Amino acid sequence: MDFGASDNQKIGIALSLMGSIFMFLGVILLLDSALLTMGNVMFLVGLVMTMGPARTQTFFLDRKRMRPSVIFFVGVFLVLYGYVIIGLLMEGFGALNLFGNFVPVAYRVMKGMPIFGNILAIPIIQNAAYRFGLDTLPS
């Protein structure tokens, strides 16, 4: 399958997905710092490979995103050094502020997908999406 992505972007997407899985497993397995560290490294390397070094640098060092970027990376380093709970909280706060604008776009894309669209059409989920400002009032 060719999605119009280069080989580096495909590898980056795979690394980001694997990093997310490792981070999820690290949280599920009682905040295992080794899994969280591997997940962080894979996710960041995958992000750089997907976006490219120049665009990644521009994204994280943008003047409006400087504070969330610093908080995110301090959280990553805290997880690397073993301060898992504080690091994850800082990572989550930084990631929410960095990538929060992408949530409505991702919601609209998933709403058009076959399986995810059906799940997002469940009234309880639709009402929650409306409360968070992701969707219009369900009819």
Side-chain angles (χ1 to χ4, degrees), residues 94-125:
L96 187 63
N97 284 309
L98 277 171
F99 304 113
N101 294 338
F102 300 130
V103 173
V105 175
Y107 177 79
R108 284 193 295 270
V109 168
M110 288 189 332
K111 199 173 173 183
M113 294 176 157
I115 295 172
F116 291 113
N118 294 337
I119 293 170
L120 294 175
I122 296 172
I124 294 172
I125 296 175

Side-chain angles (χ1 to χ4, degrees), residues 51-72:
M51 291 175 62
R55 286 181 57 201
T56 305
Q57 181 179 2
T58 303
F59 178 78
F60 282 111
L61 297 180
D62 183 31
R63 192 162 189 81
K64 291 183 276 185
R65 294 189 193 106
M66 186 60 71
R67 186 175 294 153
S69 295
V70 168
I71 292 171
F72 178 75

Side-chain angles (χ1 to χ4, degrees), residues 8-29:
N8 280 343
Q9 288 175 325
K10 291 176 187 175
I11 292 169
I13 291 168
L15 277 173
S16 295
L17 179 65
M18 287 175 51
S20 299
I21 291 170
F22 272 72
M23 284 192 284
F24 176 73
L25 287 174
V27 170
I28 293 298
L29 296 174

Side-chain angles (χ1 to χ4, degrees), residues 69-139:
S69 295
V70 168
I71 292 171
F72 178 75
F73 284 111
V74 166
V76 169
F77 286 116
L78 285 174
V79 169
L80 289 173
Y81 287 112
Y83 299 101
V84 178
I85 295 173
I86 297 170
L88 279 178
L89 290 173
M90 290 182 75
E91 268 186 63
F93 182 75
L96 187 63
N97 284 309
L98 277 171
F99 304 113
N101 294 338
F102 300 130
V103 173
V105 175
Y107 177 79
R108 284 193 295 270
V109 168
M110 288 189 332
K111 199 173 173 183
M113 294 176 157
I115 295 172
F116 291 113
N118 294 337
I119 293 170
L120 294 175
I122 296 172
I124 294 172
I125 296 175
Q126 257 185 339
N127 288 333
Y130 171 71
R131 288 180 193 259
F132 284 115
L134 298 175
D135 205 354
T136 58
L137 188 62
S139 52

